[in-house]
Amino acid sequence: MNGMNGMNGMNMAGSGDDMPGMGEPTGPKIAAAAVADNGLHGTVGGYSYVVDSAAPFTFHISGPSGKTVTRFQPYEGRLLVFYLVRSDLGDFRQLTPSMRADGSWTVPLSALTPGSYRSYITFAAPDSSAGTPLSYSLSQPLTVPGGPTVAALPAASDTTTVDGYALRLTGSPHQGVATDLGVAVTKNGKPVQQFDRLLDGYAHLTAFHAGDAAFARALSTGRSAGGAAGAGDLTATIQFPESGAWRLFVQFETSGAEHTAAFTVEVP
C-alpha cells in the first residue's frame, strides 16, 4: 500500500461494539522477521529505524536498498504502531504517527518529564523472499534532559484497576514459549460485555522488561467462549524473550473511550 500525505495509520478494522465470535485478527498471514527478537535493535533484516528530530518527533525507515520505505503491509489495522516507554516503565504511550508521501513520519508527542525513554515501532514489509510479509519491531533510545524521578516497579499481581474497571489476568508465561493470556474485565462487579475494536482486536497488549526495556508484543486472539452469550475474557498470545519482571500494558476501549491498565508479571 503506497504512502499518502497526511496518512495517520489507517485503522483498517473500524470500530463499534463487539459481537460474540468476533475479534480475531483480520489481516493476512504475516510472519515475524525475528521470532525471538527483544525489540532493542534499531536495525533488523536490513530495515532501520532512523530518528530525524526529537522536537517535533520525526523519523523514517530505511530499507535493505538504503532508500526510505514508503510502502507497508497493513498490520494490526495500521501501517505502523508507535510506542514510547520510560526506562522505569512508569510512563507508557501508544501513539498514532502520520506519514508523508516521502516516507517520513511525525509523532504527536506531548511534553515528557526528564529521564530516559525508548521509542518502538512495529510494522510489516510487503516483500520477502518467502513470499510472506514480515513484521519488524525496532527501537531507539530517547533522553529528556533534567533531573529524572525514578518510580519503583509495582509488585507482581494478577489484578489491577483503571478508570473504574477491574481487570484480572490469567495465563502462565514462560521465557521463549508462546503463552495464551486472558484478561477478564468487570465494572461494578459485573463482566463487561461490549468492547469497541482497538487496532485489530478488542485488547492490545504490550510488555516491557524491567532493567533493559526489552519488548514483547502480544497478538490479539479475540475473546474466550465463556461468559454471557459466549463473550468471555479478552484473549491474546504473547512470547516473552527474557525471564524476570515485565510490565504488561493492556489497552481496551469502551463507548469510544480508551483505557490503559498495567500488570507486573514475573516470567520464570
Side-chain angles (χ1 to χ4, degrees), residues 96-149:
T96 304
S98 298
M99 186 179 77
R100 296 181 180 274
D102 64 358
S104 62
W105 295 81
T106 301
V107 183
L109 185 59
S110 57
L112 300 171
T113 59
S116 298
Y117 296 79
R118 199 166 189 92
S119 63
Y120 306 75
I121 58 173
T122 62
F123 64 93
D127 52 342
S128 75
S129 59
T132 299
L134 298 178
S135 65
Y136 296 83
S137 297
L138 309 177
S139 69
Q140 291 290 355
L142 172 66
T143 300
V144 178
T149 299

Side-chain angles (χ1 to χ4, degrees), residues 80-199:
L80 179 145
V81 183
F82 179 94
Y83 308 93
L84 183 78
V85 69
R86 201 170 63 207
S87 59
D88 62 3
L89 311 185
D91 186 357
F92 164 77
R93 309 182 190 194
Q94 188 264 109
L95 302 169
T96 304
S98 298
M99 186 179 77
R100 296 181 180 274
D102 64 358
S104 62
W105 295 81
T106 301
V107 183
L109 185 59
S110 57
L112 300 171
T113 59
S116 298
Y117 296 79
R118 199 166 189 92
S119 63
Y120 306 75
I121 58 173
T122 62
F123 64 93
D127 52 342
S128 75
S129 59
T132 299
L134 298 178
S135 65
Y136 296 83
S137 297
L138 309 177
S139 69
Q140 291 290 355
L142 172 66
T143 300
V144 178
T149 299
V150 178
L153 188 71
S157 175
D158 60 2
T159 60
T160 190
T161 59
V162 62
D163 303 332
Y165 294 89
L167 287 79
R168 180 174 56 84
L169 180 69
T170 59
S172 300
H174 291 275
Q175 178 188 3
V177 178
T179 300
D180 292 327
L181 297 180
V183 181
V185 184
T186 60
K187 189 171 187 179
N188 299 324
K190 298 180 180 180
V192 176
Q193 295 296 324
Q194 301 295 322
F195 294 91
D196 299 337
R197 297 297 294 269
L198 179 64
L199 295 177

Side-chain angles (χ1 to χ4, degrees), residues 30 39 53 55 67 69 73-75 157 164 186 201 207 217 239 253 255 268:
I30 294 176
S53 171
K67 297 181 179 179
V69 178
Q73 171 70 46
Y75 182 51
S157 175
T186 60
R217 180 187 46 77
Q239 182 166 315
E253 187 172 300
S255 302

Side-chain angles (χ1 to χ4, degrees), residues 26-73:
T26 57
K29 179 67 175 179
I30 294 176
V35 177
D37 189 27
N38 60 12
L40 295 179
H41 304 291
T43 299
V44 171
Y47 289 87
S48 297
Y49 170 31
V50 183
V51 177
D52 299 311
S53 171
F57 195 97
T58 60
F59 66 91
H60 71 274
I61 301 167
S62 63
S65 68
K67 297 181 179 179
T68 298
V69 178
T70 58
R71 296 179 64 250
F72 297 85
Q73 171 70 46

